[in-house]
Amino acid sequence: MSKPRRNLLIGAFAAVLLTACGTAATTSGTVPAAVGAEDLAKVTLKVGDQKGGSKSLLTAANLLADTPYKIEWATFTSGPPLLEAASAGAIDIGGVGNTPPIFAAAANAKIAAVSVAKGNVTGDAFLVPGDSPLKDVADLKGRKVAVAKGSSAHGQVLLTLRKAGLSTKDVTLTFLQPSDAYAAFTQKQVDAWAVWDPYTAQAEQEAGARVLATGEGTANGYTFQVAGTAALSDAGKNSAIKDLLIRLAKAQQWADGHREEWARTWAGETGLKVEVARAAVERGGDLPVSLDDAVVKSEQDLADAFSEDKTLPGRVDFAKFTDRRFQEDLKAARGGNS
């Protein structure tokens, strides 16, 4: 769960450019006019989710039962397949970490990041077995590291290795989704595992994993809600997306102030032991922030690092894959905070 861009088009995201028909232009298309309650009630919003993600959070905060539109949930193992579905129109929106949107942008996916939150990065970890001889990141040279390709953990691998003077070419990356990676890790088929909470907390408590390094000093801690451009162009779904984003912003703030209640609900929704959920929650959850130039630059820096590592071909202009149309509404939901 739980875990750009500076070009001339940024002004187009930040400002609302009125057209002759009274709508607003953004880089992901023209913003359709808001729909009324009768039309919104006809909308079915298809929402992509991950383990212990948006559905659990909204349920815990009691913000899911009264949506004025229907929601169909689809669960994904990590961000990359979720964004593939969003680009293809199989879902309308979903939450991911900081790296999946970069890989989606590199593939010219039909998506746009529409909101952002920032979380504690101590749960973004390089894990090794408790009895591993590895003592620091430099010891990973020549070793096998499990990670979900294109996930936030993939970005963490890149940045953590770089900080230690290594590159992804100095290790053998074994691309596995979290459930498969957990099995490989516990069976010692890999030397290390890069992952995020609640998997980090689960591995620590249930498999005796030891943290070799966290995201402190490397990861930016951002998570995004990313929508398909087709959904953003649809009047009904655009209105539903705005409502959902406001609810998620409120739910994130609720969870930060009700950690024990959130942990218990999270455990019940996911099947995690409450002790695992509590450990992940106590590290600190995601809180909504503004999708501003600082976020844009941070994500662009990460994208550039992947390009320099030759993981991605060419340069990704991540600003083209963001849309700030909902920022004023979200600022109000945050109480006006940045």
Side-chain angles (χ1 to χ4, degrees), residues 169-220:
K169 310 304 183 289
D170 292 309
V171 300
T172 300
L173 295 182
T174 302
F175 293 124
L176 297 170
Q177 292 299 314
S179 59
D180 294 328
Y182 185 84
F185 179 79
T186 55
Q187 295 168 20
K188 296 187 177 180
Q189 296 172 354
V190 295
D191 300 294
W193 181 23
V195 74
W196 56 91
D197 267 330
Y199 301 105
T200 297
Q202 184 179 27
E204 286 180 300
Q205 292 197 19
E206 298 179 6
R210 174 165 53 87
V211 175
L212 196 65
T214 71
E216 293 178 293
T218 50
N220 61 24

Side-chain angles (χ1 to χ4, degrees), residues 83 87-88 100-112 229 316-317 320-321:
L83 292 189
S87 180
I102 291 171
F103 276 68
N108 202 31
K110 297 175 182 178
I111 53 95
T229 54
V316 173
D317 187 354
K320 293 181 178 179
F321 296 86

